[in-house]
Each structure stands twice: as C-alpha cells, then as structure tokens.
Amino acid sequence: MFSLIQRVRSYNDLSRSDSDVDLVGKVTESEMKRVGSNPEMDPEVEPNKNIAWVRGEALITFYVGILVFLRVFTWLLSLSPHVAWTFINLTHCIITFPFLHWVKGVPFSGLWNDQGIYEKFTFWEQLDRGAQFTTTKKILTVIPILIFCLTIRYDTLWGLEFYVNLAAFLIVIIGKFPLMHKVRLFGINS
C-alpha cells in the first residue's frame, strides 16, 4: 500500500547475510582478533568508513574553508553582498542536500565488510550511527542557519530573493530534523 510517509528499518533490524550477528555494535571473537592487528578497523571507533572522516575540527575547518573560498570567489567577481550570499546559500543547498539527504549507501560497498547494511541510509542517517544531537550533526545544522542569517542580513526582506533563499534554507534544514530521520516522503527515494 502506498503511504505518504515511510520509515526505513533501523540498524538493529538489519543483519548480515552470512550470520545472525548484527554488525553495528557487536563483534564476534574472530573479528576481534583481526581488529587487534589493524587498529583502523576497530568497530568501536567507526565500522562505517564512509562517515569516519566526518569529525570535529577537521570538519569545521574544511566546511568553513569552502564557504570562505566561495565568499572570496564572489568578491573577485565583484558581486554585491546580497547577490553573493544568495549565491553561497543556493550553492550550499544544491551541494549539501543531495550529498547529505538524498544519496544512499556507501560508495565503496563491500570493501569494509559492511555486507550492504548501509544501502538504505543517507549520509545524514549514517552519521554517528544514527544518533541525534551529536556535535557533528550540530555543526552541520548550525552552518546552514548562519549562512541563511548572513543572507537575509544583506538582503531585502520579503523580496523574491528572500523567498528563494528561504526555500533553499528550508529544503536543507528540514532534512536534518530528528522527526525526519529515516523518513521518506511520498515514497520518494525509498
């Protein structure tokens, strides 16, 4: 039956095809022996290598560096501040929405013994094993809010550009709400 809202099964509902052991959080004795010889495969650190790089200061530095680069780029093009921030807001929306909230799975599935358990989850849903309100997710939520605040600071309120910026902001921010975690609207991207 077609439903307006569909929830994706949680990590706990997914299991490996070769055993009854749940990959997330539980490790067999034979896997523990292999982990001991290779620290980067430690499941306590992060079993999903797709999201292992998204952590702390490196994330903030990279994210803010890209935004500063875009602002300098718009300054070199001699764009006015409201057009520059609108460009940055729309570029941010066009890049981050598909990357964080649309594309599902792991690009190199099967290389890290994930057995396809991440195929039904977006990048955002994979972050921090699905936990909400973590530092990483807070950073990735606050930055679009700051971009939008800077955009409306230099923009005229209630003009066409405001509504375009508001729509781009809402598209990006609504996908980050805990209420939307593992939810597919109208069966799209399920």
Side-chain angles (χ1 to χ4, degrees):
M1 179 103 193
F2 178 72
S3 173
L4 293 180
I5 299 176
Q6 296 176 347
R7 288 213 175 261
V8 178
R9 296 187 311 168
S10 67
Y11 291 115
N12 296 332
D13 296 338
L14 302 171
S15 61
R16 296 181 187 186
S17 59
D18 61 343
S19 69
D20 295 331
V21 179
D22 186 7
L23 177 65
V24 179
K26 297 178 185 174
V27 181
T28 64
E29 187 175 338
S30 63
E31 289 174 319
M32 287 162 58
K33 291 177 184 172
R34 283 184 279 164
V35 168
S37 64
N38 190 352
E40 68 189 37
M41 290 180 61
D42 186 4
E44 291 300 318
V45 176
E46 184 58 65
N48 184 356
K49 301 300 181 193
N50 186 40
I51 59 157
W53 63 274
V54 184
R55 298 275 186 260
E57 293 175 7
L59 169 68
I60 296 170
T61 305
F62 177 74
Y63 209 150
V64 172
I66 293 293
L67 295 174
V68 168
F69 170 78
L70 282 173
R71 183 59 183 114
V72 169
F73 178 71
T74 57
W75 177 74
L76 291 174
L77 293 176
S78 300
L79 297 177
S80 63
H82 75 279
V83 173
W85 284 109
T86 297
F87 172 77
I88 291 170
N89 188 34
L90 294 178
T91 303
H92 181 267
C93 175
I94 290 168
I95 292 172
T96 60
F97 179 76
F99 179 68
L100 292 175
H101 304 290
W102 192 264
V103 177
K104 296 186 297 184
V106 178
F108 309 107
S109 183
L111 292 180
W112 295 295
N113 199 21
D114 64 13
Q115 299 293 320
I117 66 169
Y118 302 110
E119 288 179 0
K120 294 186 178 186
F121 302 111
T122 64
F123 192 85
W124 183 262
E125 294 164 347
Q126 293 176 35
L127 280 175
D128 301 322
R129 296 186 183 180
Q132 299 296 320
F133 305 110
T134 61
T135 303
T136 303
K137 287 190 175 181
K138 287 178 185 177
I139 292 167
L140 292 172
T141 303
V142 166
I143 290 178
I145 294 170
L146 292 176
I147 293 172
F148 181 70
C149 288
L150 285 168
T151 302
I152 62 172
R153 159 68 177 89
Y154 292 105
D155 197 5
T156 57
L157 290 178
W158 314 119
L160 177 63
E161 286 181 5
F162 172 77
Y163 289 112
V164 170
N165 285 313
L166 180 65
F169 169 71
L170 290 176
I171 288 170
V172 169
I173 208 73
I174 288 175
K176 293 176 176 25
F177 289 165
L179 179 67
M180 298 301 293
H181 189 68
K182 298 179 187 169
V183 172
R184 307 291 184 258
L185 296 176
F186 306 109
I188 298 172
N189 199 24
S190 55

